[in-house]
Amino acid sequence: MNAGDRVRVTRADVTNEGVLMPSSTEDHLVVKLDGGYNVGIAREGADVDVLETDVYDIEDAQSEGDGTSEIEFDDDLPTISLISTGGTIASTVDYRTGAVTAQFDAKDVLRAVPDLAGRANYRGRVVANILSENMTTDVWVDLAEAVAEEIEGGADGVVVMHGTDTMQFSASAMSFMLDTPVPIVFTGSQRSADRPSSDNVMNAVCAVEAAKAEAAEVMVCMHASESDDVCALHEGTRVRKNHTSRRDAFETVGAKPLGEVDYEAEEVTFRRDYTPRCEADLALHADIESEVELVKFTPGMDPAALDYLDEKAGVVIEGTGLGHVHTDLIPQFEELVEGGTVVAMTSQCLEGRVCDRVYDTGRDLLDAGVVEAGDTLPGTAKVKLMWALANVADPTDAMGRNLEGELTQRSVPWE
């Protein structure tokens, strides 16, 4: 029997029928039932009948021995690099414990999503195997270098498989670290592959289609709604995860998504201007300053809570409304600026931009040297400042300017 065969497995007077899937352990069989759930069955004492062979065409991947794997289908198809960092889309069930763990490498993702077959030639690469809450700046650097190497090696597009919790931060980081001539598409899964409502197949397929398209942008590709029909393409610096568990958790803040992928029609359309494929030359700017903090102001905040910021190279404040904090905190931020720390202001509001010229508190913050970050999302602003401190001559000025679509143009009636 082989993965992809339809089997009937009987053990301890319990019979399960379905498609045999690749297993992460030698001690268990994994069978996908007709209802969509996966079930793990101990091999010992199990009787297996093969009912039909090759129900699914699960291709074998040839390991290169260096963290890469390659699957070839057709020389006339584009080459898409699949880079795995871990997360739910690259997870499997450990049937010893029942837990979902990030264990798959890129070739395993291809086996688990047979719908990817025939759409491209694939090259797989593992940069990390972590849950996204464990993402670090060092992994960002490794990821940016890996993406650049894949593009230099001839990839026509790159798909990064990433956990959803911090995907927006990593997408922002790649937006600043890379000038890209091809699409770089982040995707993930809100629900693991063993659940009938899993979004991993549609998200992966749509991400590959976006990576074959003409927009040489860093994008996030996830469900546009709760239905299995369309994936939205969000600009990497304007996207935010706005729900803990919905399949359409990701939204573009302040605008419509950059584009969308019709899952059934396999069509990619764009709503707004984008950088065309091959217009930019590949460039890597992977240096990053890790000593940057994002601070959320709340009423009643103890001023002593800010003491740990004294040695930081940069601070992003998530202020209230137009960009405010308690007036008693302003002297501390002024001391930080005088000590050489770049301090930028963003808003806790999901829509709108910072404007510290309206009220006295805002004017005092500007006098203290705090720079307005416009409508840059707070998380994006942190990533931008980390990058700007390591790559531009005047990071304070950079925080007030749009670099990679993170800061939209202000609309005023006289313009």
Side-chain angles (χ1 to χ4, degrees), residues 119-363:
R119 297 174 185 272
N121 298 317
Y122 296 106
R123 178 172 172 80
R125 181 166 183 164
V126 181
V127 168
N129 193 14
I130 58 175
L131 299 172
S132 74
E133 58 265 33
N134 296 327
M135 185 58 60
T136 67
T137 55
D138 288 339
V139 177
W140 284 346
V141 172
D142 291 343
L143 178 58
E145 291 175 346
V147 171
E149 288 174 5
E150 292 299 315
I151 296 172
E152 286 179 341
D156 297 301
V158 177
V159 173
V160 179
M161 295 185 172
H162 195 291
T164 60
D165 281 0
T166 61
M167 187 188 296
Q168 65 205 51
F169 294 90
S170 297
S172 290
M174 295 307 105
S175 297
F176 295 113
M177 288 177 158
L178 289 160
D179 298 334
T180 177
V182 304
I184 301 171
V185 186
F186 281 75
T187 194
S189 180
Q190 285 284 85
R191 300 173 187 175
S192 57
D194 65 311
R195 298 175 62 182
S197 61
S198 178
D199 50 342
N200 69 329
V201 171
M202 177 171 153
N203 290 346
V205 167
C206 289
V208 167
E209 293 300 324
K212 292 159 51 180
E214 293 303 311
E217 303 278 356
V218 177
M219 297 172 280
V220 169
C221 178
M222 296 289 288
H223 266 57
S225 70
E226 281 286 78
S227 299
D228 290 322
D229 51 4
V230 174
C231 275
L233 298 175
H234 306 283
E235 200 167 0
T237 55
R238 295 299 307 175
V239 65
R240 188 178 189 273
K241 184 177 181 179
N242 283 341
H243 198 281
T244 57
S245 59
R246 284 176 63 103
R247 300 194 300 176
D248 57 343
F250 284 78
E251 297 178 5
T252 294
V253 178
K256 296 289 187 182
L258 180 64
E260 63 182 30
V261 183
D262 187 307
Y263 180 47
E264 293 296 333
E266 302 179 6
E267 293 179 353
V268 183
T269 57
F270 293 97
R271 294 191 179 97
R272 295 186 278 116
D273 293 340
Y274 57 83
T275 303
R277 179 183 286 274
C278 297
E279 180 174 290
D281 294 327
L282 176 65
L284 175 66
H285 318 281
D287 292 340
I288 199 158
E289 171 58 69
S290 61
E291 292 299 318
V292 175
E293 289 294 337
L294 173 60
V295 179
K296 187 182 187 77
F297 166 72
T298 57
M301 176 179 280
D302 185 348
L306 302 179
D307 291 347
Y308 81 104
L309 300 175
D310 289 346
E311 303 301 321
K312 298 298 180 182
V315 173
V316 174
I317 308 168
E318 193 174 325
T320 59
L322 292 169
H324 299 148
V325 299
H326 194 290
T327 54
D328 290 349
L329 299 178
I330 296 176
Q332 286 181 267
F333 290 119
E334 185 172 18
E335 289 179 9
L336 286 172
V337 173
E338 290 175 350
T341 301
V342 178
V343 181
M345 178 64 74
T346 64
S347 177
Q348 298 171 14
C349 300
L350 291 182
E351 303 281 350
R353 65 185 54 245
V354 167
C355 183
D356 281 321
R357 294 169 174 81
V358 178
Y359 298 103
D360 288 344
T361 300
R363 292 178 181 273

Side-chain angles (χ1 to χ4, degrees), residues 40 49 110 222-223 248 376 387:
D49 294 320
L110 291 174
M222 296 289 288
H223 266 57
D248 57 343
T376 307
W387 181 85

